């Protein structure tokens, strides 16, 4: 091992290494955290990130068939390399570097709405099974071929972690060396299978994770899995893990990768930066050549060199308000509606960042791009709550109908004289969320609610003992969809809003009556006025969202989705505020890359996906 | 000891004078006039004579006016009250410009003033009071009292201030600016207390103090009548410095996000400019950082100037000369510079 690392040092240009760390030092001095968690947060059960390490990591042997330039691409990360590990179910899982080191099952393209094959070459739903075939020639970085056993191990571990695949899957079977089948038990909506399965990343070489699997299977809970630390990953991606110090993670081209011919440069490094501003400075100064998902306001984008391409991809969601349904006021539908009416979502989005934020056209459980597909002709009947204006008259009338009136100070109070007041919180440093919530609070205060806005460190909010999980809030900023690829289908979003946000994103005990008991709900029926204006519509979110996830009949799917989306629109279990775009930057100075609007770059995230596809090549400069 | 007694004629006279005033009937108006002469007229003269005090005082006065009246007259900051991202002086609706959420920067500055002043005053008063109390008592009493107090202040001095404030801020979550001010100076008093103690050690050996002691005057009275007045210049100058420390520490910690972000505050404005609006990275928005820096710099400047000026105000020679009561005007001006020694 010592020999290996010495060899490696010869490959490194000492001068460049020092230059990199120097830049990091300067960036760290520039100070300030304010990391913008929104960009990096990946929905919980997308999980697939990474891992495997090896005792005798073999540095790539050069492929003689093509010329590989001794060039290092410099990218950034906002997690300290000293703190990360590569077990995707563990703590402090690596960020972005794992996307190079481990191939995804497949990559979702937001422009086409389809998955592009990666380490899973083909996949098929047969009715009884979901079959996957591994890419031919896929190898681990230690030289072993990637086998069906490795894939099965991943899926079995994922089962131990409680992944949503196992809502409908019952077993995993290795058909042959390259084929694995998930046996399907019970009903599953076929259009959801891909979103559940293909979002993963093959990170588990059986030789590394086999023991963890058997330990976890024999244990009462999954702690053997979550506590396993993988800090020298054996990957299978287009680049392999080299070494990491406090500042830099270095990866080197994996010459035995089936797509290795697509990569004509030798190294890809991730430099650590503390906070968005440090990353912006690095992009401006050319210290890094790419950065994934970095919220960058217009004034900074304007200053970036012309050679810097900005790829904006949908996030299929963004920040909204999760009210605590046990709150005296926020638990009342009329108050939630009044909040939606009283704010101008377009103005909030423009305050947040006009370049990357848009207001939802119809507040329900779908991103704008999917509204027409699912609402169809009924879209006009859905309540928009005023997308570009503050509908204060309507807000006032719903409150008055609910028994509220304005007091002498022009502040709303209920029948018993209690002021309509609540505290609105947002994670500190998530700047686009904070600016959005500030605007919302101002607009609601102007309307006569008594809203106190404050920021709370993310560390106090997230996690199993955080304020979100404990339901210790009046109203909080949080995603209003399940976000990313799967949010294109209403199932995950409805489940997120009405049933169990933990299953889709993060734990949150918001106590919506329709939600499961673990989230503070009572699995109650929800009744709203019917969509066609006559009578009422009653749904049971737990049952009906479950049916939406399991039906294979497209008419039932469409009908049920419409009903549930209408309930979401009327009852507002969460209040949508804006949709965001992720910004990923790549410099074209030394690399040939696609145009900013190219279809191929509409992925999360372009700077790690494009090299694999031969769309980001060194141009000799 | 005897020798000292006989040496100090003037001190003896002062003492006699004091006992006389306590027996001679003075009318209320006379006392008011004396008070006016001693505490307003003479200091005022000195202040007017010295441009530093004058400028410092005027700036501070303006801040107080802003806090008292400005906040009532000028609209409170809210989002979208003016156009977004206005530059300073672009329109009179927002003379200092606006941020990308359309909040008037001047409104933010003005409405943060009261809490900043409260914070600064509370911190300075707290630290100075504790320092004076511990310093004089320890220095004068000596013995075990001294050892106990000195040990406590040693401990306070050796605890790193910033981590302590961070821990306390997280535990207490102070929302009242006065509490924040006290928190910031939670161990600032110890250094000042130490230097006061050493000054008291010298003063307690002065003959007039000895005289009081011999006559059985109570410790409290000796401290308040004989010791502290002699330290006033030093104390007040340090009061101003403590206030200045509070501004910087407060702004710094708000900027770092250590203190709860509920109060309107110039530090938060800086934080928001840097983190939310990338003002130091993207060109053309540096004004978002510069605007909140102006009041911080001005308030700090006024306190520094006042500290220097107070030094003169408490110099008896300068006071007497300017009040036209001195017979030795032609003596040295240099004394002015030397006195106080702070």
């Amino acid at each position: 091992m010592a020999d290996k690392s010495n060899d490696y040092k010869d490959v490194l240009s000492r001068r460049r290494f020092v230059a990199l760390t120097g830049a990091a030092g300067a960036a760290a001095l520039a100070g300030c955290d304010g990391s913008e968690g929104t960009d990096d947060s990946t929905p919980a059960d997308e999980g697939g990130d990474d891992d495997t390490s090896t005792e005798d990591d073999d540095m790539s042997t050069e492929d003689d068939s093509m010329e590989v330039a001794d060039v290092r691409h410099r990218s950034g990360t906002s997690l300290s390399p000293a703190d990360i590990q590569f077990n995707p179910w563990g703590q402090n899982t690596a960020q972005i570097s794992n996307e190079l080191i481990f191939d995804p099952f497949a990559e979702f393209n937001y422009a086409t709405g389809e998955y592009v094959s990666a380490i899973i070459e083909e996949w098929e739903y047969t009715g009884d099974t979901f079959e996957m075939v591994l890419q031919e020639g896929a190898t681990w970085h230690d030289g072993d071929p990637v086998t069906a056993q490795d894939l099965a191990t991943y899926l079995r571990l994922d089962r131990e972690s409680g992944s949503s695949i196992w809502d409908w899957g019952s077993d995993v079977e290795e058909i042959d060396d390259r084929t694995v089948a998930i046996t399907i038990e019970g009903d599953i909506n076929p259009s959801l299978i891909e979103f559940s399965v293909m979002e993963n990343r093959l990170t588990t070489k059986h030789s590394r994770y086999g023991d963890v699997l058997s330990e976890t299977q024999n244990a009462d809970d999954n702690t053997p899995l979550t506590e396993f630390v993988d800090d020298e990953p054996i990957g299978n991606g287009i680049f392999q893990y080299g070494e990491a110090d406090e500042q830099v993670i270095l990866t080197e081209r994996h010459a035995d990768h089936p797509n290795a011919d697509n990569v004509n440069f030798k190294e890809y490094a991730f430099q650590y930066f503390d906070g968005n501003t440090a990353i912006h400075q690095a992009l401006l100064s050319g210290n890094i050549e790419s950065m994934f998902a970095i919220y960058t306001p217009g004034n900074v984008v304007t200053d970036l060199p012309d050679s810097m391409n900005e790829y904006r991809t949908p996030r299929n969601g963004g920040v909204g308000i999760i009210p605590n349904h046990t709150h005296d006021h926020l638990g009342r539908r009329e108050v939630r509606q009044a909040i939606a009416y009283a704010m101008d979502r377009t103005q909030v989005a423009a305050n947040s960042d006009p370049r990357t934020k848009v207001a939802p056209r119809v507040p329900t459980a779908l991103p704008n791009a999917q509204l027409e597909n699912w609402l169809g002709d009924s879209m006009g009947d859905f309540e928009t709550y005023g997308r570009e204006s503050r509908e204060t008259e309507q807000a006032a009338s719903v409150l008055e109908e609910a028994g509220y009136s304005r007091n002498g100070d022009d502040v709303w109070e209920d029948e018993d004289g209690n002021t309509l007041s609540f505290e609105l919180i947002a994670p500190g440093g998530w700047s686009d969320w904070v600016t959005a919530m500030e605007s919302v609070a101002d607009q609601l205060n102007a309307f006569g609610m008594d809203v106190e806005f404050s920021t709370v460190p993310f560390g106090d909010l997230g996690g199993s003992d955080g304020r979100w999980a404990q339901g210790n809030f009046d109203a909080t900023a949080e995603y209003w969809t399940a976000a990313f690829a799967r949010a294109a289908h209403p199932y995950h979003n409805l489940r997120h809003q009405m049933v169990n946000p933990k299953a889709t994103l993060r734990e949150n005990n918001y106590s919506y009556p329709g939600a499961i008991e673990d989230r503070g709900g009572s699995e109650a029926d929800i009744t709203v006025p019917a969509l066609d204006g006559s009578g009422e519509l009653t749904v049971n979110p737990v049952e009906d969202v479950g049916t939406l996830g399991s039906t294979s009949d497209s008419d039932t799917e469409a009908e049920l989705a419409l009903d549930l989306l209408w309930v979401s629109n009327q009852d507002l279990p969460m209040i949508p505020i804006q949709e965001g775009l992720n910004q990923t930057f790549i410099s074209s100075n030394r690399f040939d890359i696609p145009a900013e609007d190219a279809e191929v770059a509409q992925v999360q995230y372009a700077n790690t996906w494009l090299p694999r596809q031969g769309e980001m090549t060194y141009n000799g400069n | 000891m005897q020798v000292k007694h006989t040496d100090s004629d003037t001190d003896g006279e002062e003492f006699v004078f004091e006992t006389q005033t306590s027996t001679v009937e003075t009318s209320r108006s006379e006392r008011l006039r004396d008070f006016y002469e001693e505490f307003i007229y003479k200091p005022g003269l000195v202040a007017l004579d010295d441009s530093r005090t004058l400028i410092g005082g005027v700036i501070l006065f303006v801040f107080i006016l802003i806090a008292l009246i400005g906040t009532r007259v000028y609209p409170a900051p809210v989002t979208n009250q003016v156009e977004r991202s206005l530059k300073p002086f672009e329109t009179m609706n927002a003379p200092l410009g606006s941020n990308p959420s359309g909040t008037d920067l001047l409104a933010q500055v003005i409405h943060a003033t009261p809490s900043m002043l409260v914070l600064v005053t509370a911190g300075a008063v707290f630290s100075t009071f504790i320092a004076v109390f511990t310093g004089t008592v320890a220095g004068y009493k000596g013995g075990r009292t001294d050892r106990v107090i000195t040990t406590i202040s040693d401990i306070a001095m050796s605890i790193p201030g910033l981590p302590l404030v961070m821990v306390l801020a997280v535990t207490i979550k102070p929302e009242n600016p006065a509490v924040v001010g006290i928190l910031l100076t939670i161990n600032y008093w110890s250094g000042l207390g130490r230097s006061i103690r050493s000054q008291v050690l010298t003063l307690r050996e002065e003959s007039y103090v000895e005289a009081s002691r011999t006559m059985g005057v109570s410790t409290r009275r000796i401290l308040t009548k004989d010791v502290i007045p002699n330290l006033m210049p030093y104390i007040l100058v340090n009061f101003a410095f403590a206030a200045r420390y509070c501004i910087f520490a407060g702004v710094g910690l708000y900027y770092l996000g250590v203190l709860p972000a509920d109060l309107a505050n110039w530090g938060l404005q800086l934080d928001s400019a840097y983190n939310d609006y990338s003002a130091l990275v993207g060109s053309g928005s540096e004004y978002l950082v510069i605007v909140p820096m102006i009041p911080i710099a001005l308030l700090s400047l006024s306190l520094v100037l006042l500290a220097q000026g107070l030094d003169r105000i408490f110099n008896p020679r300068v006071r007497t000369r300017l009040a036209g009561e001195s017979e030795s005007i032609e003596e040295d001006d240099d004394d002015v510079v030397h006195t106080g020694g702070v």
Side-chain angles (χ1 to χ4, degrees):
Chain A
M1 200 56 207
D3 288 341
K4 298 288 175 198
S5 55
N6 283 339
D7 287 347
Y8 192 59
K9 275 180 188 150
D10 296 334
V11 177
L12 275 173
S13 150
R14 175 170 286 272
R15 197 148 37 97
R16 271 184 296 156
F17 196 85
V18 170
L20 271 175
T21 22
L29 277 181
C32 172
D33 44 12
S35 65
E36 211 245 352
T38 59
D39 290 327
D40 310 337
S41 26
T42 320
D45 69 12
E46 273 183 10
D49 287 337
D50 83 79
D51 163 355
T52 335
S53 70
T54 181
E55 293 76 44
D56 51 355
D57 226 355
D58 206 349
M59 275 314 168
S60 67
T61 48
E62 278 317 322
D63 185 349
D64 293 336
S65 65
M66 67 174 294
E67 195 179 329
V68 177
D70 186 8
V71 162
R72 178 188 302 166
H73 179 81
R74 304 186 307 267
S75 191
T77 172
S78 54
L79 281 187
S80 166
D83 298 336
I84 59 168
Q85 58 85 41
F86 290 84
N87 169 8
W89 300 282
Q91 301 291 316
N92 296 327
T93 304
Q95 168 198 67
I96 199 68
S97 58
N98 59 350
E99 303 209 353
L100 276 185
I101 296 169
F102 301 103
D103 269 348
F105 284 15
E107 187 76 27
F108 186 75
N109 187 296
Y110 286 80
T112 61
E114 286 178 2
Y115 280 92
V116 181
S117 70
I119 203 161
I120 306 291
E121 200 167 70
E122 291 168 18
W123 58 94
E124 190 186 7
Y125 166 67
T126 64
D128 300 328
T129 60
F130 184 73
E131 265 187 31
M132 291 173 274
V133 183
L134 285 163
Q135 183 179 21
E136 193 167 4
T139 53
W140 293 100
H141 294 158
D142 63 1
D144 294 342
V146 176
T147 64
Q149 190 184 29
D150 299 319
L151 178 56
T153 300
Y154 180 86
L155 292 166
R156 286 176 182 134
L157 283 167
D158 203 33
R159 174 180 217 165
E160 298 300 323
S161 76
S163 146
S164 65
I165 295 174
W166 304 98
D167 293 352
W168 46 267
S170 67
D171 199 9
V172 179
E173 203 182 340
E174 296 146 50
I175 308 286
D176 59 39
D177 275 356
R178 288 174 49 215
T179 313
V180 166
I182 301 174
T183 316
I184 294 173
E185 189 177 77
D187 300 320
I188 169 67
N189 183 337
S191 50
L192 295 176
I193 296 182
E194 275 190 350
F195 290 123
S196 295
V197 182
M198 305 315 285
E199 278 296 303
N200 289 293
R201 203 168 278 280
L202 183 52
T203 56
T204 53
K205 186 164 191 288
H206 183 76
S207 62
R208 169 66 62 90
Y209 277 84
D211 292 345
V212 181
L213 175 60
S214 47
E215 274 176 45
T216 312
Q217 283 171 334
N218 294 328
D220 295 336
D221 54 23
N222 61 6
T223 41
L225 176 59
T226 54
E227 286 178 0
F228 178 68
V229 173
D230 189 357
D231 46 16
E232 284 193 35
I234 309 173
N236 51 36
I238 192 80
F239 280 82
Q240 71 184 64
Y241 181 78
E243 65 176 24
D245 63 12
E246 299 280 320
Q247 299 293 341
V248 183
I249 305 166
L250 201 50
T251 64
E252 182 165 305
R253 177 175 171 274
H254 174 42
D256 293 335
H257 192 283
N259 291 30
D261 286 351
N262 287 340
V263 179
N264 66 349
F265 58 100
K266 197 167 177 183
E267 293 169 0
Y268 198 122
F270 296 92
Q271 164 87 42
Y272 166 57
F273 293 95
D274 183 15
N276 286 9
T277 301
I279 293 167
H280 293 152
Q281 282 166 340
L283 283 171
L284 285 166
S285 65
N287 271 348
I288 52 175
E289 297 167 286
S290 70
M291 184 65 203
F292 82 107
I294 169 78
Y295 166 59
T296 308
N299 60 334
V300 179
V301 176
T302 317
D303 282 2
L304 289 174
D306 291 342
S307 58
M308 194 62 82
N309 277 11
E310 178 194 22
Y311 300 98
R312 283 184 279 178
T313 47
R315 207 185 276 165
N316 276 354
V319 68
I321 293 178
I322 299 191
N324 189 327
H325 291 262
T326 57
H327 188 269
D328 288 346
H329 303 289
L330 296 170
R332 300 172 73 164
R333 177 182 300 164
E334 296 83 357
V335 172
R336 299 195 295 273
Q337 290 181 336
I339 290 173
Y341 278 124
M343 70 173 118
D344 177 345
R345 298 194 298 279
T346 303
Q347 193 175 60
V348 173
N351 287 353
S352 210
D353 181 16
R355 299 181 69 256
T356 58
K357 305 289 185 280
V358 290
R361 284 151 68 198
V362 177
T364 176
L366 274 180
N368 282 342
Q370 300 297 330
L371 285 170
E372 271 155 23
N373 293 347
W374 291 91
L375 304 188
D377 296 339
S378 304
M379 196 160 129
D381 298 329
F382 274 61
E383 183 58 63
T384 66
Y385 296 99
R387 186 190 185 207
E388 296 172 349
S389 56
R390 303 178 53 205
E391 304 291 341
T392 48
E393 279 177 27
Q394 272 164 294
S397 81
V398 289
L399 281 184
E400 278 160 6
E401 278 170 33
Y404 283 83
S405 55
R406 287 179 194 267
N407 66 17
D409 297 330
D410 235 15
V411 175
W412 290 96
E413 53 183 37
D414 65 12
E415 311 89 324
D416 304 327
N418 301 316
T419 309
L420 201 174
S421 65
F422 61 91
E423 188 193 14
L424 176 61
I425 56 174
W430 296 21
S431 48
D432 50 348
W433 286 29
V434 171
T435 46
M437 289 300 125
E438 268 171 359
S439 307
V440 168
D442 280 343
Q443 294 181 3
L444 297 182
N445 282 326
F447 169 66
M449 293 183 182
D450 175 20
V451 182
E452 192 186 324
F453 171 68
S454 61
T455 59
V456 179
F458 179 72
D460 292 349
L461 292 174
S464 56
D465 54 356
R467 288 180 65 178
W468 282 338
Q470 302 294 321
N472 179 15
F473 59 86
D474 294 346
T476 178
E478 176 60 294
Y479 272 102
W480 57 275
T481 64
F484 298 110
R486 62 202 175 150
H489 192 284
Y491 167 73
H492 292 288
N493 302 330
L494 288 163
R495 192 169 182 221
H496 176 73
Q497 286 195 0
M498 295 184 174
V499 180
N500 184 7
K502 187 187 178 186
T504 45
L505 192 64
R506 281 185 281 250
E507 191 158 1
N508 195 306
N509 269 26
Y510 66 141
S511 300
Y512 182 60
I516 59 169
E517 287 171 11
D518 279 355
R519 301 286 80 77
S522 53
E523 306 194 4
D525 288 347
I526 305 289
T527 303
V528 297
L531 175 56
D532 60 13
S534 61
E536 291 181 331
L537 170 70
T538 298
V539 297
N540 183 289
V542 173
E543 280 175 24
D544 292 336
V545 173
T547 310
L548 180 64
S550 59
T551 181
S552 48
D553 178 66
S554 58
D555 288 343
T556 314
E557 181 189 35
E559 207 173 297
L560 201 50
L562 186 62
D563 281 353
L564 289 163
L565 290 167
W566 169 249
V567 173
S568 164
N569 175 252
Q570 290 298 297
D571 199 38
L572 296 172
M574 297 182 186
I575 304 168
I577 292 180
Q578 58 186 220
E579 267 186 67
L581 297 173
N582 270 338
Q583 296 158 279
T584 293
F585 295 89
I586 309 178
S587 165
S588 60
N589 260 351
R590 300 197 302 159
F591 292 85
D592 287 332
I593 48 174
E596 290 188 339
D597 55 358
E599 194 177 279
V600 66
Q602 283 294 305
V603 295
Q604 313 282 11
Y605 298 95
N607 64 327
T608 49
W609 177 248
L610 295 180
R612 191 188 188 282
Q613 303 307 97
E615 298 285 350
M616 183 175 134
T617 50
Y618 176 61
N619 61 17
N621 289 331
Chain B
M1 298 296 267
Q2 287 293 333
V3 178
K4 276 191 181 173
H5 256 297
T6 51
D7 267 358
S8 54
D9 286 346
T10 33
D11 291 334
E13 276 168 25
E14 271 184 21
F15 181 73
V16 173
F17 172 74
E18 200 171 6
T19 51
Q20 277 175 349
T21 49
S22 62
T23 53
V24 171
E25 292 275 323
T26 49
S27 70
R28 186 184 186 80
S29 65
E30 275 176 324
R31 267 183 285 157
L32 276 175
R33 203 180 58 232
D34 281 351
F35 178 84
Y36 168 76
E37 288 247 322
E38 280 304 308
F39 292 96
I40 296 176
Y41 175 67
K42 286 182 184 172
L45 271 184
V46 183
L48 285 175
D49 182 57
D50 181 5
S51 55
R52 293 175 303 183
T53 328
L54 196 62
I55 296 170
V58 167
I59 297 176
L60 190 60
F61 182 68
V62 170
F63 272 107
I64 294 171
L65 275 188
I66 289 174
L68 293 176
I69 300 170
T71 47
R72 289 164 205 270
V73 180
Y74 205 85
V78 288
T79 47
N80 301 106
Q81 62 188 149
V82 291
E83 275 179 58
R84 297 184 186 90
S85 300
L86 290 171
K87 298 274 191 301
F89 312 118
E90 203 173 313
T91 143
M92 284 319 286
N93 289 334
L96 298 184
S98 66
N99 69 19
S101 291
T103 309
D104 179 2
L105 296 184
L106 179 60
Q108 286 187 317
V109 167
I110 287 177
H111 285 263
T113 308
S115 64
M116 286 302 293
L117 290 183
V118 171
L119 182 153
V120 164
T121 315
V125 168
F126 169 79
S127 62
T128 316
F129 179 80
I130 301 280
V132 169
F133 180 77
T134 55
T136 50
V137 171
Y140 183 77
K141 293 289 278 185
R144 175 175 294 183
T145 317
D146 184 23
R147 282 200 300 278
V148 171
I149 292 180
T150 309
T151 309
I152 294 174
S153 77
D154 279 347
I155 293 171
M157 228 183 292
S158 58
I159 299 175
L162 184 64
L164 179 68
V165 171
M166 286 163 75
V167 169
L168 289 174
V170 171
T171 321
I172 303 174
K173 298 196 191 303
E175 288 179 6
N176 186 322
V179 181
V180 175
I182 291 172
L183 203 65
L184 291 173
T185 53
I186 196 82
N187 68 348
Y188 182 84
W189 56 269
S190 48
L192 178 57
R194 261 318 187 57
S195 25
I196 289 176
R197 172 183 169 272
S198 47
Q199 304 238 353
V200 173
L201 283 177
T202 325
L203 279 176
R204 72 195 288 259
E205 303 300 337
E206 291 287 339
S207 44
Y208 59 92
V209 178
E210 290 233 3
S212 297
R213 206 155 48 211
T214 320
M215 293 179 66
V217 179
S218 72
T219 305
R220 194 173 67 90
R221 195 172 161 78
I222 292 175
L223 286 180
T224 52
K225 289 288 174 186
D226 293 338
V227 176
I228 294 178
N230 280 290
L231 290 173
M232 262 338 238
Y234 185 70
I235 292 169
L236 279 174
V237 167
N238 275 285
F239 177 85
F241 282 125
R244 186 169 151 272
Y245 167 82
C246 272
I247 302 174
F248 289 147
V251 165
L253 291 177
Y254 273 111
Y255 172 79
L256 289 174
V258 171
L259 293 168
D262 306 345
L263 290 168
N265 185 288
W266 303 323
L268 288 181
Q269 259 186 283
L270 283 174
D271 174 56
S272 160
Y274 181 81
N275 283 324
D276 298 346
Y277 306 123
S278 297
L280 288 182
V281 182
S283 60
S285 39
E286 297 82 0
Y287 70 97
L288 290 171
V289 176
I290 294 171
V291 167
M293 276 164 60
I294 295 171
I296 296 169
L298 282 179
L299 185 53
S300 169
L301 175 70
S302 83
L303 289 167
V304 171
L305 292 177
L306 276 180
Q308 294 176 346
L310 285 172
D311 184 25
R312 273 173 68 93
I313 288 177
F314 282 95
N315 183 328
R317 291 195 194 184
V318 183
R319 287 169 70 122
T320 323
R321 188 191 71 194
L322 288 170
E325 295 166 6
S326 171
E327 292 166 6
S328 56
I329 298 177
E330 63 281 2
E331 275 194 13
D332 43 11
D333 263 344
D334 291 357
D335 276 2
V336 175
V337 183
H338 293 308
T339 43
V342 185

